[in-house]
Amino acid sequence: MRLVPWNEVPSVKKRAPVYSSSRRLPVPPEVGVPQPSSPPRKPVEWKKLRVPAAAALALLVALSLWMLWSPQPAMLPLPPEAAAPLLTPAEAYEKIRPSVVHVRGIPEVEDAENDTRVDGNIGTGVVLVDTGIILTNLHVVYGAKRVKVTFHDGLETDAEVVGERPEHDLAVLQAKELPDDLVPATIRSTNGLRPGDAVVAVGFPFGIGPSASAGVISGLKREYRSASGRRLLTNLIQFDAAANPGNSGGPLVTADGEVVGIVTGLLNPTEQRVFVGIAFAVPIENAAGAAGLNPF
């Protein structure tokens, strides 16, 4: 046999390997042959996570507290008239009713034995002090020989004129007898009154009453000349709640039942003394001053 030199051996063309795209299955370990073990996993070092975890927890707690107790937007204070709910005209009437009295200025002495009654002037008054101090209009008691007042419980008694203020058409009375449950009125400054504010006039128009009429403030700082034309009243409250002869001296109250004025007159371009929509009241500051009070 002839030996062929290596450099004369014909080259063999190798076949390129072909790889499958499918995932090969793992070769099962041979039984009895020890397999190399995977390296052990390192334990989590919890101690190193304590500081970041505590910081995250503190940040979460601080954020929750800030959201709960963050300051709210400041609220503007409400004006005093809006701080408390307003009463209805009926509630305002009920509040002032125990302080309203019927006033009669009698030009002659009545004869009780013969049951002779002299009508005289009729008007209204309001109790300012629980000792029996009553405010009314001067024209109701002017020239009267005797003054009688009737309280809300029906008690009728004589009263004495203890003070006058003609420039405001006001008179101060002192009742000689008092009911057991006499309630003085609550008075309020006219500061803050505006046209359009609700008011209630309480009195004895034409001797009928006590009667209530509701309306609004129509104007402030008005002037009014008395029916006789002898007296000019200034700085008056104009209102449109119905007022007629007999309302004079009665209280003009707010929707809270607080007295802001004393009804003193009504305007009518005709000769008839009836209400046409314009009435006037003396501000309570002047009225309280006539009684020697200075509540403001």
Side-chain angles (χ1 to χ4, degrees):
M1 182 178 65
R2 180 175 175 268
L3 299 173
V4 181
W6 63 273
N7 57 354
E8 294 182 5
V9 177
S11 60
V12 180
K13 188 175 182 180
K14 294 184 179 181
R15 188 175 180 182
V18 178
Y19 300 94
S20 172
S21 61
S22 62
R23 185 176 297 178
R24 294 185 179 183
L25 297 175
V27 179
E30 296 182 9
V31 179
V33 179
Q35 299 297 320
S37 59
S38 57
R41 299 178 64 181
K42 293 183 179 181
V44 178
E45 298 182 3
W46 295 106
K47 293 183 179 181
K48 293 183 178 180
L49 298 179
R50 289 179 181 176
V51 175
L57 181 60
L59 180 62
L60 181 61
V61 171
L63 181 61
S64 301
L65 293 177
W66 178 83
M67 293 179 65
L68 289 175
W69 283 284
S70 58
Q72 300 297 322
M75 300 293 291
L76 294 177
L78 293 175
E81 60 271 15
L86 298 179
L87 305 179
T88 64
E91 292 170 323
Y93 167 78
E94 289 298 330
K95 184 175 179 180
I96 192 62
R97 171 68 186 92
S99 306
V100 178
V101 299
H102 185 206
V103 180
R104 294 174 55 221
I106 305 169
E108 300 177 9
V109 178
E110 292 181 327
D111 187 353
E113 295 182 359
N114 298 323
D115 195 22
T116 302
R117 179 185 178 95
V118 181
D119 291 335
N121 295 330
I122 57 172
T124 308
V126 58
V127 177
L128 284 192
V129 186
D130 58 5
T131 56
I133 297 295
I134 300 170
L135 265 179
T136 188
N137 278 150
L138 179 58
H139 72 259
V140 174
V141 298
Y142 184 76
K145 299 295 184 181
R146 188 177 183 184
V147 177
K148 281 196 171 185
V149 296
T150 305
F151 290 95
H152 73 285
D153 63 348
L155 174 64
E156 186 180 72
T157 181
D158 289 339
E160 181 183 359
V161 179
V162 295
E164 297 181 358
R165 188 165 284 190
E167 66 273 21
H168 298 303
D169 191 22
L170 294 170
V172 182
L173 308 179
Q174 173 64 65
K176 294 185 178 181
E177 294 184 47
L178 304 178
D180 295 332
D181 56 348
L182 184 60
V183 179
T186 301
I187 59 179
R188 203 205 102 162
S189 171
T190 57
N191 290 335
L193 279 186
R194 302 166 300 174
D197 287 345
V199 288
V200 177
V202 181
F204 292 83
F206 302 107
I208 303 171
S211 301
S213 58
V216 298
I217 297 290
S218 303
L220 301 169
K221 300 185 182 302
R222 299 295 199 234
E223 293 184 352
Y224 167 72
R225 187 170 295 277
S226 63
S228 62
R230 292 178 298 179
R231 186 179 296 119
L232 177 66
L233 304 178
T234 60
N235 192 33
L236 299 177
I237 302 170
Q238 178 190 341
F239 62 94
D240 70 350
N244 286 287
N247 276 107
S248 296
L252 181 70
V253 302
T254 65
D256 293 318
E258 299 171 341
V259 182
V260 290
I262 300 296
V263 178
T264 192
L266 56 93
L267 184 64
N268 192 326
T270 70
E271 296 297 328
Q272 299 178 357
R273 297 176 60 205
V274 294
F275 183 68
V276 295
I278 298 178
F280 301 99
V282 178
I284 194 59
E285 287 87 349
N286 298 340
L293 302 178
N294 186 20
F296 312 119

